Amino acid sequence: GDALRYRAYMFYSRRLPPWIKFDSLNRRFEFRPPPAVSGSVQIRVVARDFEGLEAEESFTLTCTPD
């Protein structure tokens, strides 16, 4: 197994909104949307080895206000 570096992005951007945190070491997300946030956000996760080979997966997070 090669060592991998993980990164998470918005699908069409290089940054996650401030209410989405990604812990790349443990590969975990924390979602704390503000009360007014609703709708869907597409997120992509990229795994890259140190030779530059990469794979990615995306998913959709849907937020609904309380």
Side-chain angles (χ1 to χ4, degrees):
D2 291 340
L4 299 174
R5 182 173 54 172
Y6 294 87
R7 302 281 176 138
Y9 308 100
M10 294 286 291
F11 197 76
Y12 295 107
S13 175
R14 299 294 291 173
R15 295 184 159 197
L16 293 172
W19 52 270
I20 299 177
K21 306 288 185 210
F22 178 62
D23 177 351
S24 61
L25 182 62
N26 295 303
R27 298 181 300 274
R28 293 186 179 161
F29 284 93
E30 180 180 334
F31 304 101
R32 294 183 184 260
V37 170
S38 66
S40 297
V41 175
Q42 289 185 312
I43 298 172
R44 65 186 178 105
V45 178
V46 179
R48 180 176 296 152
D49 70 11
F50 292 100
E51 294 177 2
L53 299 173
E54 65 181 36
E56 72 176 68
E57 186 64 51
S58 61
F59 63 94
T60 301
L61 172 71
T62 301
C63 299
T64 55
D66 290 337

